[in-house]
Amino acid sequence: MAKPKRLYACSSCGARQLKWQGQCPDCGEWNTLTEAVPAGPRSAIRGVAAPGATSLTRLDSLEVAQVRRRSSGLRELDRVLGGGLVPGAVVLIGGDPGIGKSTLLLSAIANLSRDGGGCYVTGEESLDQIGLRAERLGVGRAPVQLLSETCVEHIIGALSPKPPEALIIDSIQTLFSENLESAPGSVAQLRECAAQLVRFAKQQGVSTVLVGHVTKEGTLAGPRVLEHMVDTVLYFESDLGSRFRIIRTAKNRFGAANELGFFVMGEQGFREVRNPSAIFLARRTRPVPGSTTLVTRESSRSLLVEVQALVDANAGQPPRRLAQGLDSRRLGLLLAVLHRHAGVSLANSDVFANVVGGLRVGETAADLAVCLAVISSYRESAISGDLVAFGEIGLTGEVRPVPFGEERLQEAANHGFKQAVIPVANRPRGKCPLEVIPVERLDQALGRVFHSRTSQPTEKQ
């Protein structure tokens, strides 16, 4: 029998070559040729219908039934999924090694199996190892089907007679397809294995979760090939040495993106954190300089986080501006605004900023809180522990409004805070349990907080 031909496609320009080369002859890019399936008659497993077997359907003729989401038994996981697993949806979850992806998903599939069939496919561990982890998590008696296999065709063949309602693949990088000769984990294998699993999930209505490895940059391995093929992308995040874990939604076709779920790692697996603001707040007996509280917004959830700053005299070296959990370039911009519009020069000082708890804040609503923390450290003047702040700082020194102002104030009131420094445009229209200090400019905000906070009139809504 003649050996089937192999083709190599360039991931940059799409050109196909008969043999692998270090450089693509068409576009000149290096190391972009990956193995591809040659064009030809497609097998039944690839699911391509014969010509004339498809038909058009009008949108107004569809009868869309209410989709019943499947709960994972973990409210924080259901939150980031948009309310639960959708039948036929494919979810990709990535995270650093040892962060707890397998532990969390084993607990989830055990809960899903109590209401319907669930299957856990492992390509990295033996069945005995899965059993030991299940006993430690207290789910050793759950009716979960287990399968230790790395060939995607064999996996689909084993599941096809009686497809489960939920399926976990741990991990997608260990699978390979018999259609390709490249090693498991290559871009071609990832694309082919994911395509077959996605097609199987859509045709059979199986809620599927794929575990993916991440690169040293923290992104999912496989040059974003997998992220475009699945419905939902989740990232498992954690601060170094912390027991707390954060799941962030990067993409979701069935819910809101940038949603967050919070867990704490214990001896018996994960526990949900119902009050995540408590993770990021340190309610001290007395306030200290360089610390303030920010009310940030992550998708549909308001969070209280502590923003810290340290201003230190520089000993002749170029001044450093370092930020953890914040954008360092944004920090430099805010320091320039403080100099130009508030008369505070930090050219001879090192400035460090940090968001406590490992959370990364990307929104500009943190600008006002960062500026207050920096001035608090610079002047050695502590800010009241009952005060929160949020607002965007413009290049001309104005304090601009941010979305969901009233929701942020309500979250601060729920945690016992008494005062809030906010943009004038975010003033609540109705009754507010907080003492609101509306400001229009950055210098006005600094004056109200550090010089005459008690003597200046405030607004009690």
Side-chain angles (χ1 to χ4, degrees):
M1 181 179 295
K3 185 178 180 180
K5 292 183 179 181
R6 296 291 164 181
L7 296 178
Y8 296 88
C10 176
S11 59
S12 178
C13 66
R16 292 175 175 256
Q17 309 297 330
L18 294 178
K19 62 179 182 178
W20 185 88
Q21 303 174 62
Q23 185 182 32
C24 175
D26 290 62
C27 65
E29 295 291 332
W30 288 89
N31 298 323
T32 57
L33 292 179
T34 58
E35 188 180 6
V37 180
R42 302 192 178 239
S43 58
I45 195 171
R46 295 182 65 84
V48 177
T54 57
S55 60
L56 299 176
T57 303
R58 283 184 48 167
L59 176 62
D60 56 4
S61 66
L62 294 177
E63 296 181 4
V64 183
Q66 184 67 28
V67 177
R68 184 182 67 87
R69 294 179 181 262
R70 296 162 182 158
S71 175
S72 64
L74 302 171
R75 291 179 56 186
E76 292 297 303
L77 181 57
D78 289 341
R79 171 190 285 271
V80 297
L81 291 172
L85 285 169
V86 175
V90 181
V91 179
L92 176 63
I93 180 170
D96 295 330
I99 200 171
K101 302 183 296 294
S102 301
T103 300
L104 178 69
L105 293 178
L106 185 57
S107 300
I109 196 64
N111 296 329
L112 289 164
S113 298
R114 293 188 176 97
D115 297 329
C119 181
Y120 190 99
V121 179
T122 176
E124 300 178 340
E125 300 174 290
S126 66
L127 298 184
D128 291 336
Q129 289 175 309
I130 300 296
L132 290 174
R133 182 187 293 118
E135 289 294 334
R136 177 171 60 86
L137 299 177
V139 295
R141 300 300 176 186
V144 180
Q145 298 290 332
L146 299 179
L147 178 62
S148 180
E149 181 58 63
T150 57
C151 178
V152 66
E153 285 84 6
H154 294 175
I155 293 173
I156 295 177
L159 300 177
S160 294
K162 189 178 179 181
E165 290 191 2
L167 173 64
I168 307 293
I169 303 293
D170 188 10
S171 65
I172 186 64
Q173 269 81 9
T174 62
L175 301 188
F176 71 94
S177 172
E178 294 177 336
N179 296 331
L180 301 174
E181 292 182 351
S182 55
S186 63
V187 175
Q189 288 285 9
L190 286 175
R191 183 187 294 112
E192 178 66 15
C193 294
Q196 293 195 31
L197 290 171
V198 169
R199 189 174 299 110
F200 173 76
K202 301 297 183 184
Q203 292 176 349
Q204 303 296 335
V206 179
S207 302
T208 304
V209 179
L210 308 178
V211 178
H213 296 171
V214 296
T215 62
K216 61 182 180 180
E217 290 82 13
T219 59
L220 284 161
R224 294 196 174 270
V225 171
L226 296 179
E227 296 189 26
H228 293 288
M229 301 177 68
V230 300
D231 300 306
T232 304
V233 179
L234 307 179
Y235 279 95
F236 227 145
E237 304 172 358
S238 175
D239 195 17
L240 183 63
S242 174
R243 297 186 303 119
F244 296 102
R245 303 290 189 270
I246 301 174
I247 299 183
R248 182 188 300 271
T249 309
K251 169 188 175 182
N252 195 354
R253 290 173 178 164
F254 308 108
N258 295 322
E259 193 68 76
L260 293 181
F262 297 87
F263 297 88
V264 59
M265 173 69 84
E267 294 183 358
Q268 297 183 348
F270 285 103
R271 291 186 294 106
E272 299 172 273
V273 178
R274 301 296 176 86
N275 182 19
S277 294
I279 303 175
F280 310 107
L281 289 180
R283 304 304 293 269
R284 302 179 178 89
T285 55
R286 62 191 184 110
V288 296
S291 174
T292 188
T293 302
L294 162 70
V295 190
T296 185
R297 186 79 178 179
E298 294 289 344
S299 189
S300 62
R301 170 178 270 175
S302 297
L303 297 174
L304 295 169
V305 297
E306 181 184 0
V307 177
Q308 296 178 343
L310 175 62
V311 179
D312 190 27
N314 185 272
Q317 300 293 331
R320 291 176 293 176
R321 279 83 172 95
L322 299 179
Q324 185 173 359
L326 298 162
D327 188 357
S328 296
R329 294 173 298 181
R330 189 76 183 174
L331 176 61
L333 181 148
L334 294 175
L335 296 180
V337 175
L338 280 172
H339 180 212
R340 181 65 179 272
H341 299 287
V344 180
S345 176
L346 300 174
N348 298 323
S349 302
D350 295 328
V351 181
F352 307 92
N354 175 45
V355 176
V356 177
L359 183 68
R360 178 161 187 83
V361 178
E363 65 168 353
T364 55
D367 291 351
L368 182 56
V370 171
C371 289
L372 293 179
V374 168
I375 299 300
S376 174
S377 177
Y378 176 67
R379 296 181 177 177
E380 288 292 327
S381 176
I383 299 176
S384 171
D386 293 329
L387 183 140
V388 298
F390 60 85
E392 179 184 352
I393 305 297
L395 293 178
T396 57
E398 78 276 12
V399 181
R400 302 176 60 85
V402 296
F404 304 102
E406 295 194 16
E407 289 82 354
R408 298 173 195 256
L409 293 174
Q410 185 61 49
E411 180 69 15
N414 293 340
H415 288 81
F417 287 86
K418 306 298 183 184
Q419 292 181 312
V421 182
I422 64 173
V424 170
N426 281 127
R427 245 180 333 201
R429 298 178 181 177
K431 206 170 179 186
C432 180
L434 294 179
E435 188 177 349
V436 176
I437 305 176
V439 293
E440 293 182 345
R441 299 189 57 80
L442 177 58
D443 54 350
Q444 180 188 4
L446 298 181
R448 300 287 288 271
V449 172
F450 293 103
H451 293 301
S452 53
R453 183 171 58 242
T454 56
S455 61
Q456 291 286 350
T458 58
E459 296 191 8
K460 184 71 174 178
Q461 300 294 329

